[in-house]
């Protein structure tokens, strides 16, 4: 079963006058590939998937597949708090030609640990042989998938990796202890990429790499090669960028950054709103410091 690792980007979704801006999205995909991103992850949290229609989500994943032309793998988000809806979402992702799917733990209805296992088992049974990246982000979902539960997911061949977004290094070690090399560990927290890889991680699904793909790719490659001094230097250099990209709800700041960089407009969908001016000014200054603005 194919798995995914390296510097992976949770792609932001550009809008123009309320509609999906396909051409701008293609430009973002090209920017990512040129910057060394190994896996594209459209239709996650950063992609505002929850305010997009099923047709829009499927089109975005399809565009990523078309534009990447096999140069980077594509893992399309299809998570839902309804197992039936997730199964249908994965069907749409498969039809685009994507390489796998990202499935967040069900939110709002707060399933038990046993319910989480059965959720992923049902999706895998409906889509045999299609790789699944499980996504644990309790700060957004209200449920935390524990290491013992991840161990149970090892019995489901389709679940090849977990995006662990707690920023908790003991958690990463606990999963490694229970799952070994069976489950690919991916960080979901830009602030802790280096320590996460040192704890057995194989990469990151990153927000900041939308803006600085080459820096993130170099950080991940250095850490995986054991060049921790170089990786530490990059991690520290990016620290304020991470801070500013999360100073307001993701993806508000990252879309503003991409707007400043000339990739696409800052438009977000309600209930998200534009970035406040004081924070926007700080972000603009940081992009200049990192050499990411043309002027």
């Amino acid at each position: 079963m194919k798995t995914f690792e390296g510097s992976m980007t949770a792609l932001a979704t550009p809008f123009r006058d309320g509609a999906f801006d396909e051409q701008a999205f293609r430009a973002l995909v090209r920017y990512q590939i040129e910057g060394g991103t190994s896996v594209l992850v459209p239709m996650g949290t950063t992609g505002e998937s929850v305010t997009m229609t099923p047709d829009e989500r499927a089109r975005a994943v399809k565009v990523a597949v078309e534009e990447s032309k096999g140069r980077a793998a594509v893992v399309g988000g299809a998570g839902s708090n309804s197992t039936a809806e997730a199964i249908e979402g994965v069907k749409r992702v498969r039809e685009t030609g994507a390489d796998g799917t990202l499935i967040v733990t069900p939110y709002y209805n707060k399933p038990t640990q046993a319910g989480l296992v059965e959720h992923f088992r049902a999706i895998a049974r409906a889509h045999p042989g299609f790789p699944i990246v499980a996504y644990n982000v309790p700060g957004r979902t209200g449920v935390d998938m524990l290491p013992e539960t991840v161990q149970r997911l090892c019995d489901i061949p389709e679940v090849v990796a977990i995006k662990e977004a707690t920023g908790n290094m003991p958690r990463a070690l606990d999963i490694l202890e229970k799952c070994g090399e069976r489950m690919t560990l991916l960080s979901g927290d830009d602030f802790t990429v280096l320590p996460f890889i040192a704890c057995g991680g194989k990469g990151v699904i990153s927000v900041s790499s939308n803006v600085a793909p080459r820096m993130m790719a170099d950080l991940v490659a250095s850490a995986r090669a054991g060049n921790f001094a170089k990786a530490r230097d990059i991690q520290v250099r990016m620290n304020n960028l991470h801070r500013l990209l999360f100073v307001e709800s993701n993806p508000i700041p990252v879309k503003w950054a991409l707007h400043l960089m000339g990739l696409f407009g800052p438009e977000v969908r309600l209930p998200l709103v534009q970035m406040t001016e004081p924070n926007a000014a700080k972000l603009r200054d940081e992009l200049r410091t990192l050499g990411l603005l043309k002027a």
Side-chain angles (χ1 to χ4, degrees), residues 74-92:
V74 176
V75 175
S80 172
N81 66 335
S82 162
T83 303
E85 287 185 9
I87 288 171
E88 176 61 26
V90 175
K91 178 178 181 290
R92 285 173 167 264

Side-chain angles (χ1 to χ4, degrees), residues 49-213:
S49 60
V50 292
T51 54
M52 295 178 70
T53 68
D55 286 346
E56 285 178 321
R57 291 194 291 268
R59 183 58 190 161
V61 177
K62 180 65 173 177
V63 169
V65 171
E66 290 175 351
E67 196 63 38
S68 67
K69 299 181 176 69
R71 294 172 292 171
V74 176
V75 175
S80 172
N81 66 335
S82 162
T83 303
E85 287 185 9
I87 288 171
E88 176 61 26
V90 175
K91 178 178 181 290
R92 285 173 167 264
V93 166
R94 293 190 77 171
E95 289 170 348
T96 69
D99 300 280
T101 186
L102 178 74
I103 300 293
V104 70
T105 57
Y107 40 86
Y108 189 76
N109 39 14
K110 300 178 74 171
T112 64
Q113 297 298 303
L116 292 174
V117 173
E118 294 310 311
H119 177 74
F120 284 98
R121 194 189 311 279
I123 295 168
R125 283 176 174 166
H127 298 286
F130 194 60
I132 296 169
V133 178
Y135 179 17
N136 186 43
V137 57
R140 281 190 178 263
T141 64
V143 62
D144 186 6
M145 188 159 61
L146 301 177
E148 294 79 9
T149 304
V150 179
Q151 185 177 27
R152 293 184 63 191
L153 295 185
C154 291
D155 294 332
I156 305 172
E158 286 77 9
V159 182
V160 298
I162 178 167
K163 178 185 177 183
E164 176 58 53
T166 60
N168 183 326
M169 297 311 105
R171 168 65 61 87
L173 290 169
D174 286 347
I175 294 172
L176 185 64
E177 176 189 10
K178 295 180 183 302
C179 300
E181 294 298 313
R182 162 62 183 85
M183 189 72 68
T184 300
L185 268 171
L186 301 170
S187 173
D189 178 63
D190 282 323
F191 292 91
T192 55
V193 176
L194 169 56
F196 191 91
I197 290 176
C199 289
K202 298 291 181 64
V204 61
I205 300 180
S206 169
V207 174
S208 297
S209 58
N210 277 279
V211 175

Side-chain angles (χ1 to χ4, degrees), residues 206-223:
S206 169
V207 174
S208 297
S209 58
N210 277 279
V211 175
R214 177 54 61 189
M215 291 181 71
M216 184 57 74
D218 288 348
L219 166 56
V220 171
S222 298

Side-chain angles (χ1 to χ4, degrees), residues 250-263:
N250 177 46
I252 294 169
V254 73
K255 294 188 83 169
W256 189 258
L258 291 166
H259 166 60
L260 292 173
M261 294 167 64
L263 277 138

